[in-house]
Amino acid sequence: MSNPEGAVDGGRGRAGVFVIFGITGDLAKKMTFRSLYRLERRGLLDYPLIGVAADEWTVDQLMDRARSAIADTGEELDEDVFARFASRWSYLAGDVTTPEVYRRLGEEMARVRVQRRPGALFYLEMPPSLFGTIVEHLAQAGLTEGASIAVEKPFGHDLESARALNERLHRAVDEGQLLRVDHFLGKEPVIELEFMRFANLALSRLWDRDSVTCIQITLGETFGVEDRGHFYDPVGALRDVVQNHLMQVLALVTMDPPTGASDDDLRDKKSEVFRAMPAVLASEAVRGQYSGYRRIDGVADGSTTETFIALKLAIDNWRWEGVPVFIRAGKRLAATATEVRLFLRNTPRLPFLPGLDSAADNQVVLRIDPDAAMRLELVAYDDGTWKKVPLETAFARELGEPLEPYERLLHAALTGDHRLFARQDAVEETWRVLEPLIDAPPAVVEYAPGSWGPPEADDLVSGYPSWQEPWLGEPGLPD
Ligand SMILES: NC(=O)C1=CN([C@@H]2O[C@H](COP(=O)(O)OP(=O)(O)OC[C@H]3O[C@@H](n4cnc5c(N)ncnc54)[C@H](OP(=O)(O)O)[C@@H]3O)[C@@H](O)[C@H]2O)C=CC1
Ligand SMILES: O=C1O[C@H](COP(=O)(O)O)[C@@H](O)[C@H](O)[C@H]1O
């Protein structure tokens, strides 16, 4: 497990109070209570907590919700830990579009805050249309000095709206106070990418155009949109998981080493990758929609929203020129798995093994989900043929139980570590790269649920290794 206390705090120090807007919502129920409870159990939660939402609840009602939400995630509840956790909370009901809420919030913050710690963390797990309003009210109420503000996704729905939101927020607070949450940046293998790539010569020497022919990134989900039609139909796969999660992963896979340990040292390197990427060509993308999607409640009649997307991206820099990055993501696919796969160049012909074709290319696989693992696919000579020999490891076996993504991100935000959050320029660059698919989306092609999307996605990788079945096996055991 990476050490959460090892975080660089950028001089901000720990928050004196943690305010969560939207505490009665779905995300809080699914993720926030559990993550905070787990931090409490680890002894890492040392903050008064204030929940804010519209409904008139008592703290007892909120804690009933917290208890059932934590239990619903399958987490075993330790009553002593829960009692400590529950004692930290207060709750404030009100409409966040009115100044009155912020006056009362200021009073409550002053009442509960840890006096020796001037900073505060505001976490906005709220409808995105309210991000600007809330931040403006916080600033007008004088609550933002020395504070950090974490905002949930999505951050805009295209380049123009992302820029407009950034400008609006920047009129109230500095960029250094803003944390754009992307839960993929809290996943253990995504974090480990930076360490593994640069701490291991065996990997770092392979990680460029001299050794790599192409990169595939797959995010497959066997489940569909089900009861999320209202949310998903105006969004689609590109905005839902590519612009944010997979582009962030891509940057960590391909960036140069950061030159220091500050928040911006890492984020500068990620932004450099995005800046080196030309905008995607609409002719190099395939949009798919699974059969039956249009019958889902909340999906518009004749919807052309994509539930699958595959695209080819380029990075025009010295490290990656000529190495395409293929991304595919979708719902109702053949497997639930997220992985990054690098294909290495073939070795020259082996004259001492006459009659054999050159060996299959080696592949490096980083599995992000369902469980973190890594695999190096080698080949060995076996009785006249080539045999694949995988070297594999499971992160949990080697590194212990990881923090949950939101546990890690909330802890980082509370301790002033901003490295795990997306910066303004990176978010805008990712929208720029993908904008052609938003402005003029290619026609959507129907695909069969349980497949790997429309067959047209296979044509996209023509001339390169075909899409690979994600590696789902138990590390160390035969597939
Ligand atoms: N749900 C999920 O799985 C995920 C959500 N997100 C993001 O998290 C954010 C929240 O999503 P989610 O939890 O699903 O949303 P919900 O609609 O479930 O919750 C919204 C919350 O905002 C509160 N709220 C809304 N309007 C007001 C208002 N005017 N004044 C005070 N409180 C208000 C609601 O309070 P009340 O209930 O009292 O009305 C509720 O607590 C969004 O940005 C979403 O994109 C990101 C990843 C996953
Ligand atoms: O943000 C989202 O991510 C999930 C995939 O993330 P995971 O951590 O659950 O694998 C995706 O299913 C969802 O549609 C999207 O909104």
Side-chain angles (χ1 to χ4, degrees), residues 22 24-27 30 53-55 94-96 125-126 128 152-154:
T24 57
D26 185 57
L27 181 59
K30 289 205 291 223
D55 289 346
D95 178 354
V96 297
E125 40 184 336
M126 295 288 285
E152 259 303 331
K153 66 162 238 190

Side-chain angles (χ1 to χ4, degrees), residues 57 62 84 94 102 176 188 246 270 305 329 340 351 355 364 375 413 477:
W57 285 19
L62 188 68
R84 246 185 2 255
Y102 301 87
E188 176 88 348
L246 297 187
K270 287 165 61 183
T305 296
V340 177
V364 182
R375 171 182 221 180
L477 297 179

Side-chain angles (χ1 to χ4, degrees), residues 54-111:
D55 289 346
E56 290 289 344
W57 285 19
T58 62
V59 177
D60 285 347
Q61 279 172 311
L62 188 68
M63 287 306 99
D64 286 346
R65 161 66 80 102
R67 178 185 284 278
S68 60
I70 296 165
D72 286 352
T73 63
E75 193 77 47
E76 212 166 289
L77 213 70
D78 177 318
E79 287 302 334
D80 291 341
V81 176
F82 189 78
R84 246 185 2 255
F85 174 66
S87 71
R88 299 187 187 281
W89 285 90
S90 48
Y91 177 72
L92 203 146
D95 178 354
V96 297
T97 62
T98 61
E100 170 63 10
V101 169
Y102 301 87
R103 190 190 54 73
R104 288 191 288 131
L105 178 59
E107 286 170 7
E108 185 61 9
M109 287 170 67
R111 188 181 74 79

Side-chain angles (χ1 to χ4, degrees), residues 327-349:
I327 292 182
R328 65 175 169 171
K331 306 272 186 206
R332 296 297 300 272
L333 296 185
T336 295
T338 302
E339 67 167 39
V340 177
R341 199 175 275 259
L342 280 75
F343 295 79
L344 304 187
R345 292 189 186 284
N346 282 347
T347 57
R349 194 177 62 82

Side-chain angles (χ1 to χ4, degrees), residues 153 183-184 187 221 223 228 231 240-241 245 331 369:
K153 66 162 238 190
H183 78 281
F184 265 55
K187 291 188 184 232
E221 295 175 321
F223 50 89
R228 296 173 76 215
F231 156 77
D240 189 36
V241 294
H245 308 328
K331 306 272 186 206
D369 283 310

